[in-house]
Amino acid sequence: MPLTRLLLIGANSSKCINGEKGDKVVIAPKNQKAKANFGHLDDPYAGEVILCFQLDDGSDQARELLRSLGIRDGDRRCDGLIFYSRDGSPERTICLVELKHSRVEEAAAQLIRTRQCIEDLLCKECGEPGKKYIQRLQWKACLYRHGASPDETSKVLRELRHYFKHYYSCDHQSADIGPFLRGESEQRMAEGRRARKRER
């Protein structure tokens, strides 16, 4: 199973995906009280399972992880994968993350190719009995861009729309992708649309 491979090779306790030149996205704790207690024994992520896997940092561990997933050295792939779930919820999320310091034009292809590789592997290994669980997966894509223009970013997001129901763009000022992972950003957008309809 791909998740077993991820766990055995790439498991760690970090709540971030790193890119080049110090770029990174983080998953901060949900509530402010938990953030204040972060240094204590309280679990700031209670009720959540968040597993971050670094796929493309050039390390031996990342290369071994990619090989185990059937992704060759020259293949396009994204920088990281985040598995997310909440206690008591049947939903499982796989969020693929690509961090670009400047040129974003290849980001969509990298995110899409990584999804295809992992999804193919899941389908092959889970077979017919696991099909219903695979269909329940929420696939999300996150593009971190440091210096890309809004036009370049919009073009990438348009490409992602065909492969991911949920996609997000952030930068160094908004690098906490916790709300996106938790579905809070989609919920706020839906509430805003409903409010605008009521106003009409």
Side-chain angles (χ1 to χ4, degrees):
M1 298 283 294
L3 191 56
T4 304
R5 296 169 192 198
L6 287 167
L7 289 170
L8 291 173
I9 299 169
N12 65 65
S13 62
S14 74
K15 300 290 185 260
C16 66
I17 300 292
N18 296 300
E20 295 177 355
K21 301 179 182 174
D23 294 336
K24 76 166 140 181
V25 295
V26 298
I27 303 98
K30 184 174 180 172
N31 71 45
Q32 295 300 323
K33 184 178 179 190
K35 289 179 186 178
N37 292 329
F38 193 66
H40 301 299
L41 295 177
D42 297 346
D43 181 359
Y45 298 96
E48 297 179 300
V49 176
I50 302 171
L51 303 171
C52 297
F53 301 96
Q54 197 74 43
L55 300 179
D56 192 20
D57 64 359
S59 69
D60 290 339
Q61 183 181 33
R63 280 192 288 278
E64 184 179 355
L65 186 54
L66 290 169
R67 277 193 303 274
S68 78
L69 296 172
I71 301 173
R72 295 184 304 258
D73 279 343
D75 288 350
R76 291 182 171 173
R77 74 273 189 163
C78 64
D79 288 312
L81 179 151
I82 302 170
F83 175 86
Y84 178 82
S85 70
R86 264 190 298 270
D87 290 354
S89 172
E91 287 183 0
R92 303 291 182 260
T93 297
I94 294 178
C95 179
L96 301 175
V97 179
E98 178 59 27
L99 296 98
K100 291 291 188 191
H101 197 74
S102 55
R103 301 178 323 122
V104 298
E105 55 272 357
E106 292 182 11
Q110 290 172 276
L111 290 159
I112 292 163
R113 182 68 187 126
T114 305
R115 176 184 174 165
Q116 290 168 338
C117 285
I118 293 172
E119 202 167 24
D120 290 349
L121 195 55
L122 279 168
C123 290
K124 188 167 71 174
E125 291 188 358
C126 292
E128 202 55 42
K131 201 173 202 173
K132 68 178 179 181
Y133 300 109
I134 294 169
Q135 290 172 341
R136 267 196 250 164
L137 276 175
Q138 267 194 356
W139 288 90
K140 294 186 175 189
C142 174
L143 168 64
Y144 171 100
R145 76 269 183 262
H146 185 87
S149 74
D151 289 343
E152 292 171 316
T153 303
S154 294
K155 184 179 177 192
V156 172
L157 295 178
R158 280 194 302 274
E159 287 180 62
L160 292 176
R161 184 177 20 191
H162 300 292
Y163 295 90
F164 296 90
K165 183 177 178 182
H166 306 282
Y167 48 92
Y168 181 68
S169 172
C170 63
D171 59 24
H172 63 284
Q173 295 175 335
S174 61
D176 176 11
I177 64 169
F180 172 64
L181 271 180
R182 296 177 181 106
E184 295 166 1
S185 54
E186 292 97 5
Q187 183 178 353
R188 281 195 299 270
M189 286 171 56
E191 288 168 359
R193 283 193 297 269
R194 284 193 297 270
R196 284 192 294 276
K197 283 182 182 176
R198 283 194 300 268
E199 290 171 1
R200 291 181 192 163

